Amino acid sequence: MRFIVCIKQVPDTTSVKIDKRTGRLIREGIPTIINPEDKNALEAALSLKEKYEGEIIVISMGPPQADEALREALAMGADRAILLTDRAFAGADTMATAYSLGSAVKKIGEYDLILCGRQAIDGDTAQVGPQLAEFLKVPQITYVSELNIEENKVVAIQELEDKRVRWEASLPALLTITSEANKPRYPSAYGIMDAYREKEVETWEKKHLDIDEERIGLEGSPTSVKRIFSPEPKGKGEIIKEEPKESAEILFNRLRAKNII
Amino acid sequence: MDFNLSSEQKAMQKLCIEFAENEIAPKAQEMDRTGEFPYEIIKKMAKLGLMGLPIPKKYGGVGTDYLTYVIALEEISKADASVGITMSAHISLPCSTLYDFGTEEQKQKWLVPLAQGKILGAFGLTEPSAGSDAGATQTTAELIDEKWVINGSKCFITNSGTDISGLVIVTAVTGKREDGRSEISNFIIPRETEGYSQGPKYAKMGWRAADTRELIFSDCKIPKENLLGDLGSGFRQFLQVLDAARISMAALSVGVAQACLDASLKYAKERIQFGRPISKFQAISFKLADMATEIELARLMYYKAAWLKDNGKPYTKEATMAKLFASEISVKCANEAVQIHGGYGFMDDFDVSRYYRDVKVNTIGEGTSEIQRIVIARQLGC
């Protein structure tokens, strides 16, 4: 089987600080990581490979520094890593990103399953996976917390807010994986050495892909970020200190007044 | 001059930070309380290659440089010194001795399973009457009927009595030299050898989860080929091995010192007294500033010593300085950490109380501070 895993290198938001004066993220010296749920997607692929054998190809679109994220994926056990990097890809929104990734997937050729993380911790859009499936015209199952391959189809549990849904899809298909799906393995020290000394990260630029230039990068992005701001901190809550029964009644009336219940 | 770590070194460091934070730190307090050896943790570390980092691939290791290994050790020790010393006493002592002086056959037989972490190794130098004065070793080895017969005892030997301890390398007197001093040689003694036994695990002030014991050799017979390196080269071997091991003791000390600073800084920012966080008081902030400065210096010193070793340059003086300084500032940092925590620092529920007990041995093990000063002074030509 051939698995393709899409990963994104993101700033480690647990160590991101905000410049109090400008309200912007201080990016200097912030460590980067593989987007956590992309790691879950990779782990899902690694477990499937242990069961069914095959090849795992990891792709990422990003600046040359994303090499580190791909090496980490190789160290965890991926077989091949491809970095889509070109100035022409810069500034892409989710649509242009999905289109570019889709072009790379087409160049790779045959595959059985594409696994993406549910969403990235920097943009939080959860759009690239679904858009990529649309570009490739393959079935998609999002928010997957369990998956297995049975005969020539994938069976997955989709984790929704109020229910879990069991879906089946024919292969090839695309799944987006949540953090509940598994606990990603550590890259081993042996794997790290191999990733840096034995394995290659292939670099694909615009010229290597059959791609419509008007649909990539900033120019090819139909959406743009209007403004970034830190949300206002929520006001202090109110504590109702009456007897439990009375408190419940007051709370009930307040919620009803606001049409919440 | 380039202070950047390579991407590969950073990746190894990141692995150890994540592993230490997720797998070791949450268990550290409990391990300290029960003194139980961390089998599960060591098994996981072995699988990741962490028990054989600087040993070449063909001998079961990962093949990193020494700097990468000690950086990894710092991160592991930051989460727990007992796990740190288990890793360090395994890699820096028996693995390194076998790698530096073993025959190809000995390496294949012993170093491969050691570096893969399938078995743990120990190094037996210290004796009840031969501590800093290693030349006073009383354990003897006699060649009788083509077998070495070992008699004597060793004390404070780490990694010697766990369920996965596979061997100990011991120093023993094999004769007298022309100058009248003892001729010392090193021997590989497999765990199951008849006549070799280990005492119960010591009850210790710190490093409680580490497995440290007394060893007893009573007509313990080992094959002739278990002599390590040349006959009579034992003294030279352990001096060379201890030189490098000092870098790892420095890294271990820096790891715990950093843990002291991290815990103290966090606490000082949260602890409110007289209406503000105590980190805003100069009395506390200056302590933190001094700790951070000393840790930075100690780290630079052990990085430099490791760099010298990796580049094939002499490093005895720098490794010794690194060990001396790092171990002493670790004691100082732990002392300040408890002081900053006040009464809470005296409670077992707070990590700094463990750090305080764990660091003391840093100025004693693998050469006391006094011995380090003698070595440095000799290097200066005194």
Side-chain angles (χ1 to χ4, degrees):
Chain A
M1 301 204 79
R2 185 186 254 180
F3 307 96
I4 296 176
V5 181
C6 301
I7 67 169
K8 182 181 187 184
Q9 188 183 43
V10 294
D12 184 355
T13 49
T14 54
S15 41
V16 162
K17 292 194 178 95
I18 306 230
D19 185 325
K20 282 181 189 157
R21 202 171 46 81
T22 61
R24 296 196 174 181
L25 296 183
I26 303 169
R27 286 182 183 268
E28 274 291 293
I30 297 300
T32 54
I33 53 171
I34 296 179
N35 177 54
E37 285 182 322
D38 299 352
K39 257 194 177 176
N40 294 109
L42 177 56
E43 178 58 44
L46 290 164
S47 315
L48 287 174
K49 186 188 157 180
E50 278 164 6
K51 261 195 207 166
Y52 304 105
E53 298 190 344
E55 181 192 26
I56 298 174
I57 304 173
V58 185
I59 55 176
S60 185
M61 187 172 100
Q65 302 88 283
D67 179 87
E68 273 180 24
L70 287 163
R71 301 263 176 201
E72 187 177 344
L74 289 171
M76 285 172 72
D79 300 288
R80 214 177 131 191
I82 299 163
L83 174 62
L84 303 188
T85 191
D86 197 310
R87 285 194 170 277
F89 295 137
D93 67 358
T94 58
M95 181 104 130
T97 302
Y99 173 73
S100 308
L101 286 172
S103 308
V105 171
K106 281 178 185 162
K107 184 179 157 89
I108 290 169
E110 300 274 304
Y111 60 90
D112 298 285
L113 206 54
I114 299 180
L115 297 162
C116 301
R118 177 187 57 137
Q119 65 188 49
I121 53 171
D122 55 352
D124 269 348
T125 66
Q127 288 169 357
V128 172
Q131 287 171 342
L132 177 57
E134 287 300 311
F135 277 123
L136 296 168
K137 296 189 170 58
V138 295
Q140 57 173 296
I141 309 172
T142 54
Y143 293 28
V144 170
S145 63
E146 282 174 45
L147 69 157
N148 207 355
I149 289 170
E150 290 172 13
E151 287 156 22
N152 203 30
K153 63 183 190 233
V154 58
V155 182
I157 302 292
Q158 183 181 44
E159 204 76 38
L160 296 176
E161 243 171 65
D162 54 344
K163 56 179 179 272
R164 305 174 84 222
V165 188
R166 183 179 181 276
W167 294 96
E168 293 183 10
S170 58
L171 299 178
L174 182 147
L175 271 57
T176 75
I177 310 295
T178 68
S179 56
E180 288 87 30
N182 50 49
K183 185 180 173 226
R185 68 195 63 192
Y186 296 99
S188 75
Y190 300 108
I192 292 172
M193 285 299 267
D194 282 349
Y196 279 94
R197 300 197 182 180
E198 312 285 338
K199 292 180 178 173
E200 291 290 327
V201 170
E202 299 165 48
T203 303
W204 289 2
E205 295 170 9
K206 185 184 75 182
K207 65 181 180 212
H208 298 111
L209 301 173
D210 179 15
I211 205 162
D212 178 353
E213 281 196 41
E214 288 179 3
R215 299 177 70 183
I216 60 169
L218 188 62
E219 295 297 306
S221 297
T223 65
S224 63
V225 178
K226 198 171 172 192
R227 187 166 71 96
I228 296 174
F229 61 95
S230 309
E232 288 292 319
K234 284 183 187 166
K236 271 193 179 169
E238 184 191 344
I239 298 170
I240 305 168
K241 285 182 176 168
E242 305 304 322
E243 288 301 306
K245 205 173 171 186
E246 285 170 51
S247 295
E249 210 169 303
I250 295 168
L251 180 65
F252 179 76
N253 290 333
R254 296 263 182 93
L255 292 173
R256 177 170 264 183
K258 293 192 170 183
N259 292 322
I260 294 171
I261 50 175
Chain B
M1 190 169 245
D2 184 357
F3 285 102
N4 287 307
L5 297 178
S6 69
S7 299
E8 183 185 296
Q9 286 166 334
K10 281 192 271 186
M12 292 287 185
Q13 185 181 36
K14 188 168 166 237
L15 160 64
C16 292
I17 290 172
E18 286 176 7
F19 183 84
E21 278 177 4
N22 299 328
E23 312 291 332
I24 304 176
K27 298 184 177 127
Q29 243 179 46
E30 182 66 7
M31 288 189 312
D32 180 61
R33 197 179 61 76
T34 63
E36 273 172 32
F37 186 79
Y39 287 106
E40 275 306 306
I41 291 172
I42 297 299
K43 198 173 156 192
K44 285 179 187 171
M45 286 172 64
K47 201 175 155 208
L48 294 174
L50 300 180
M51 297 305 282
L53 280 176
I55 305 300
K57 258 187 176 176
K58 67 171 181 171
Y59 298 125
V62 174
T64 68
D65 54 18
Y66 209 78
L67 179 58
T68 306
Y69 154 53
V70 282
I71 287 172
L73 178 62
E74 180 190 328
E75 296 304 338
I76 299 294
S77 308
K78 190 174 141 189
D80 186 67
S82 292
V83 178
I85 190 58
T86 301
M87 174 181 178
S88 160
H90 171 81
I91 295 176
S92 299
L93 302 176
C95 288
S96 295
T97 314
L98 271 162
Y99 178 60
D100 288 351
F101 305 105
T103 61
E104 186 59 30
E105 213 182 342
Q106 287 169 338
K107 285 178 190 169
Q108 289 302 337
K109 186 170 180 187
W110 300 111
L111 183 54
V112 170
L114 280 172
Q116 288 172 339
K118 289 184 177 154
I119 55 169
L120 264 186
F123 189 80
L125 170 65
T126 303
E127 295 186 3
S129 310
S132 295
D133 181 9
T137 297
Q138 289 177 350
T139 298
T140 57
E142 267 184 286
L143 191 61
I144 301 170
D145 297 336
E146 296 297 290
K147 288 199 171 210
W148 287 104
V149 182
I150 317 283
N151 277 293
S153 68
K154 298 283 173 184
C155 60
F156 312 145
I157 309 306
T158 299
N159 289 346
S160 54
T162 71
D163 297 347
I164 50 169
S165 296
L167 65 87
V168 59
I169 293 172
V170 296
T171 54
V173 176
T174 44
K176 278 248 181 282
R177 297 194 318 192
E178 282 175 9
D179 60 7
R181 287 157 74 179
S182 296
E183 175 196 85
I184 292 174
S185 306
N186 289 342
F187 298 91
I188 305 165
I189 304 186
R191 173 75 183 282
E192 304 305 333
T193 310
E194 214 184 309
Y196 167 36
S197 59
Q198 304 89 38
K201 209 170 148 172
Y202 291 110
K204 307 190 288 296
M205 176 200 272
W207 288 3
R208 286 188 170 168
D211 186 275
T212 313
R213 294 170 195 258
E214 181 187 11
L215 312 182
I216 301 117
F217 303 96
S218 171
D219 284 333
C220 166
K221 294 189 186 72
I222 51 168
K224 195 180 169 192
E225 62 267 22
N226 282 22
L227 170 71
L228 186 53
D230 297 332
L231 188 68
S233 68
F235 204 81
R236 190 175 56 79
Q237 285 181 22
F238 72 69
L239 283 185
Q240 181 179 321
V241 166
L242 286 181
D243 265 357
R246 282 180 188 135
I247 308 175
S248 54
M249 272 304 290
L252 184 151
S253 302
V254 169
V256 186
Q258 184 68 52
C260 289
L261 173 62
D262 292 353
S264 301
L265 185 59
K266 183 169 178 281
Y267 181 82
K269 284 177 165 179
E270 289 167 359
R271 172 74 172 168
I272 310 285
Q273 289 288 276
F274 305 105
R276 51 183 168 152
I278 60 170
S279 63
K280 296 291 178 196
F281 294 110
Q282 201 178 59
I284 301 298
S285 64
F286 276 21
K287 283 187 200 295
L288 294 164
D290 284 346
M291 287 163 82
T293 306
E294 285 160 348
I295 290 166
E296 189 67 23
L297 290 173
R299 184 178 291 120
L300 282 175
M301 195 65 220
Y302 93 67
Y303 274 30
K304 182 181 176 185
W307 181 88
L308 288 169
K309 176 171 161 56
D310 284 331
N311 284 278
K313 296 174 193 291
Y315 61 92
T316 301
K317 185 176 75 182
E318 289 78 4
T320 313
M321 287 173 164
K323 196 276 183 185
L324 170 66
F325 186 69
S327 63
E328 297 208 329
I329 67 111
S330 72
V331 172
K332 201 175 151 194
C333 287
N335 184 41
E336 294 293 31
V338 172
Q339 192 66 26
I340 291 168
H341 280 70
Y344 293 106
F346 197 61
M347 301 296 120
D348 281 350
D349 286 350
F350 280 72
D351 287 330
V352 290
S353 122
R354 181 177 83 252
Y355 303 154
Y356 187 84
R357 290 182 285 101
D358 276 341
V359 290
K360 185 54 222 167
V361 71
N362 296 352
T363 63
I364 298 170
E366 291 179 33
T368 59
S369 284
E370 292 70 26
I371 289 291
Q372 308 302 318
R373 288 188 169 89
I374 291 174
V375 173
I376 297 166
R378 277 188 193 146
Q379 289 280 323
L380 296 175
C382 297

